[in-house]
């Protein structure tokens, strides 16, 4: 199976600081990536999380990238809502998943 490398960016709705760094968020993200990456055959090369968005560089088969990010973003959104005590359930900006294939 041939892997393709992608740079991915996902923004928080209204650019709120829901992803602001702290130990609990770091543990949460590391746990989700440790569980989901092997399940979807994803190789993670780099992750940067800023207060209002994240960047990742990953390698994955083209068919699995949508499945991986659908699951990651859904679980991360639910956990961030609990972690931050968010009253609005919306975490991600609509249509803001940026995926660029790296060559």
């Amino acid at each position: 199976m041939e892997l393709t490398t992608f740079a991915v960016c996902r923004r928080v709705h209204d650019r709120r600081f829901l992803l602001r760094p702290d130990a609990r968020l770091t543990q949460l993200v590391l746990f989700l990536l440790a569980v989901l990456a092997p399940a979807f055959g994803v190789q993670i090369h780099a992750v940067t999380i800023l207060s209002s968005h994240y960047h990742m560089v990953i390698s994955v088969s083209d068919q699995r990238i949508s499945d991986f990010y659908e699951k990651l973003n859904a679980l991360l959104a639910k956990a961030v809502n609990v972690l931050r005590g968010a009253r609005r359930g919306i975490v991600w900006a609509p249509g803001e998943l940026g995926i660029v294939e790296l060559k």
Side-chain angles (χ1 to χ4, degrees):
M1 173 174 51
E2 186 172 325
L3 299 180
T4 306
T5 302
F6 297 94
V8 179
C9 178
R10 182 72 183 187
R11 296 200 180 279
V12 172
H13 189 281
D14 290 338
R15 299 189 186 227
R16 294 173 293 158
F17 294 151
L18 295 177
L19 301 178
R20 63 188 177 274
D22 61 36
R24 291 174 65 195
L25 181 73
T26 300
Q27 288 176 338
L28 170 65
V29 171
L30 289 175
F31 173 77
L32 289 175
L33 292 176
V35 170
L36 295 175
F40 289 92
V42 172
Q43 295 177 3
I44 299 170
H45 305 293
V47 176
T48 301
I49 301 176
L50 292 93
S51 295
S52 63
H53 64 286
Y54 69 74
H55 297 274
M56 290 186 195
V57 177
I58 66 164
S59 292
V60 63
S61 68
D62 293 338
Q63 298 82 15
R64 304 296 313 262
I65 191 165
S66 294
D67 298 336
F68 172 72
Y69 276 104
E70 179 182 358
K71 190 72 163 177
L72 174 65
N73 288 325
L75 292 173
L76 187 55
K78 289 176 185 177
V80 164
N81 275 327
V82 171
L83 180 66
R84 300 296 183 222
R87 294 178 188 200
R88 291 176 47 201
I90 299 170
V91 172
W92 306 118
E96 290 286 330
L97 180 63
I99 301 175
V100 177
E101 182 179 346
L102 303 178
K103 301 216 177 209

